[in-house]
Amino acid sequence: GIQVEQSPPDLILQEGANSTLRCNFSDSVNNLQWFHQNPWGQLINLFYIPSGTKQNGRLSATTVATERYSLLYISSSQTTDSGVYFCAVENAGKSTFGDGTTLTVKP
Amino acid sequence: GAVVSQHPSWVICKSGTSVKIECRSLDFQATTMFWYRQFPKQSLMLMATSNEGSKATYEQGVEKDKFLINHASLTLSTLTVTSAHPEDSSFYICSAPFRQAHNSPLHFGNGTRLTVT
């Protein structure tokens, strides 16, 4: 099946810093989503981005489908941005999640 | 917007008992729903694809007789963990695609935290 790799696995930032999270996938995909999982386990959909670039406030994402990667940018990070960020790709009717990036933003 | 409701949000049961988890699409029809399991500090792993009106499709290594899936209507899928054991304790999440166009994002329920004592 398709492989999804996220990097870095862990990231510690000072409040106000910027960061880039990466998602590589091994095959062509129909869909790609970025999620933030909060401490209660709830998955918050950040972006649905099979290709191109989108922005939502301090967050933006870019997917280059031909090169099989996606990037999530977080600018001016806040402590509430802490949590686990997952990318999930859909291929052959199934969604596969990466192992996530655990982000800790310190005040 | 599309909402997926999952119930219960948490459950504690004794070893050997069965637990049923419900997943509902509240404002759209879902012919397909997906069930995931997440162990602590791990990623979400797809367990099975629930298909309305037909048998579920299970991923390799998932026991279909232990994790019974029923997709009785276009808005409801249920996962029953039968004869639960402590190793079944996990976070279970369902999702459904909201198909307005050819491709559409997955919408997730809030998950069910199962603890088997």
Side-chain angles (χ1 to χ4, degrees):
Chain A
I2 191 169
Q3 304 298 313
V4 183
E5 294 183 356
Q6 288 187 244
S7 60
D10 298 281
L11 185 58
I12 301 174
L13 298 175
Q14 207 63 38
E15 198 169 26
N18 303 328
S19 63
T20 301
L21 281 59
R22 188 177 180 101
C23 174
N24 292 335
F25 40 97
S26 61
D27 202 348
S28 58
V29 298
N30 297 319
N31 297 323
L32 186 145
Q33 286 178 260
W34 282 98
F35 296 93
H36 177 212
Q37 189 170 38
N38 65 22
W40 299 272
Q42 186 182 11
L43 284 169
I44 310 298
N45 182 37
L46 299 176
F47 292 103
Y48 165 68
I49 186 165
S51 63
T53 297
K54 291 185 178 180
Q55 181 161 6
N56 184 3
R58 295 182 297 104
L59 302 181
S60 64
T62 296
T63 297
V64 183
T66 53
E67 297 186 20
R68 299 180 183 170
Y69 73 89
S70 183
L71 302 174
L72 176 68
Y73 305 96
I74 304 174
S75 64
S76 303
S77 58
Q78 301 175 358
T79 56
T80 51
D81 294 332
S82 296
V84 184
Y85 289 80
F86 288 104
C87 74
V89 301
E90 182 184 338
N91 172 271
K94 298 180 182 179
S95 282
T96 302
F97 281 75
D99 287 340
T101 291
T102 300
L103 175 64
T104 303
V105 181
K106 295 187 173 182
Chain B
V3 177
V4 175
S5 174
Q6 191 171 337
H7 178 80
S9 56
W10 60 271
V11 58
I12 301 173
C13 71
K14 292 186 176 180
S15 187
T17 61
S18 295
V19 173
K20 180 185 285 188
I21 303 170
E22 293 187 348
C23 180
R24 294 181 184 272
S25 55
L26 294 185
D27 52 0
F28 65 102
Q29 295 182 335
T31 56
T32 301
M33 292 185 179
F34 302 97
W35 288 96
Y36 296 82
R37 178 169 53 183
Q38 185 182 31
F39 292 108
K41 298 191 183 300
Q42 294 188 21
S43 186
L44 283 77
M45 299 300 295
L46 180 65
M47 298 176 65
T49 303
S50 173
N51 304 299
E52 189 270 335
S54 64
K55 292 182 179 180
T57 304
Y58 291 82
E59 295 302 301
Q60 191 172 9
V62 178
E63 301 174 57
K64 62 180 182 181
D65 294 330
K66 181 169 185 61
F67 299 98
L68 300 180
I69 291 174
N70 183 277
H71 198 142
S73 74
L74 287 171
T75 60
L76 174 64
S77 175
T78 61
L79 168 67
T80 301
V81 183
T82 62
S83 187
H85 291 282
E87 57 264 32
D88 298 323
S89 297
S90 187
F91 191 58
Y92 294 86
I93 310 176
C94 68
S95 72
F98 180 50
R99 303 248 179 236
Q100 281 188 309
H102 174 64
N103 294 315
S104 67
L106 285 177
H107 294 267
F108 283 82
N110 286 335
T112 298
R113 196 165 300 281
L114 170 64
T115 303
V116 184
T117 61

